[in-house]
Amino acid sequence: ALTVTNAGNWSTLNLDNSADTLARTVTMNVAGNLGSVAGLAPAVIRYRKQDLRALNIWGGSGNNTFNVLETALSTIPGGSPTTLSAGSGFDNINVVGTTGALIVDLQGDHNSVTIGGIAGQAGNLTRVRGDVTLRGPDGGNGNFVDIVDRANSGLYTYTMDAQRFYRARPNP
């Protein structure tokens, strides 16, 4: 494993796998003080979340799967964004949880994004606490977004407009 720290300062961590043509399954997570990215390189890449200014990940041209289990929220004012540029393949992005902001740049067509869980599972939006922003190419087609919350037993109101989707508890 590789662990990146920068005590007393904030660093931008760039993980560039854009030249890779192989399909990768990448898992991003945060546990305690450490964030991790597994499956992008032969070893797990870890970072101290309080030392993070931003995390930027570029995927290659293979048909990648990115499982975002959690994103870091650093101590830097405004938090630390995580930007995932999925690559030019037919990619699957599963957003299970966020604390810090997540930006997903789809880069190509025929991608699938599932927010709230893993594609094909019931899902639950409770762990998605940080903003999720989706970007795609102008004129792109064939990208799909599923927002899943079937495993949640709470009563919620769901609202979507041209700019955002959000979930709120109804007033009693």
Side-chain angles (χ1 to χ4, degrees):
L2 168 70
T3 302
V4 179
T5 63
N6 187 10
N9 290 294
W10 294 296
S11 297
T12 297
L13 181 56
N14 294 316
L15 305 177
D16 189 347
N17 202 39
S18 60
D20 193 352
T21 59
L22 297 176
R24 302 284 177 187
T25 298
V26 178
T27 301
M28 302 161 51
N29 200 5
V30 176
N33 287 341
L34 292 176
S36 63
V37 179
L40 196 65
V44 175
I45 300 167
R46 291 188 176 96
Y47 57 88
R48 273 186 8 154
K49 67 181 186 179
Q50 63 266 35
D51 298 341
L52 193 65
R53 176 178 302 279
L55 174 62
N56 301 310
I57 298 173
W58 289 271
S61 60
N63 299 331
N64 301 306
T65 298
F66 293 91
N67 296 312
V68 182
L69 303 183
E70 183 61 272
T71 57
L73 179 64
S74 182
T75 57
I76 190 171
S80 61
T82 297
T83 302
L84 172 59
S85 299
S88 59
F90 300 161
D91 302 310
N92 294 301
I93 297 97
N94 300 303
V95 181
V96 176
T98 60
T99 298
L102 173 65
I103 300 167
V104 178
D105 186 352
L106 297 173
Q107 296 187 299
D109 295 335
H110 307 289
N111 297 293
S112 174
V113 178
T114 303
I115 300 174
I118 304 294
Q121 295 180 359
N124 186 328
L125 291 172
T126 302
R127 291 189 50 208
V128 181
R129 296 178 298 271
D131 289 347
V132 177
T133 302
L134 303 177
R135 298 190 298 215
D138 287 340
N141 57 48
N143 290 318
F144 302 92
V145 178
D146 290 320
I147 301 171
V148 294
D149 199 28
R150 292 185 305 268
N152 194 329
S153 61
L155 296 175
Y156 294 96
T157 300
Y158 300 89
T159 305
M160 186 169 89
D161 59 30
Q163 299 298 316
R164 63 185 242 169
F165 171 90
Y166 59 95
R167 176 184 84 167
R169 286 197 181 275
N171 292 329

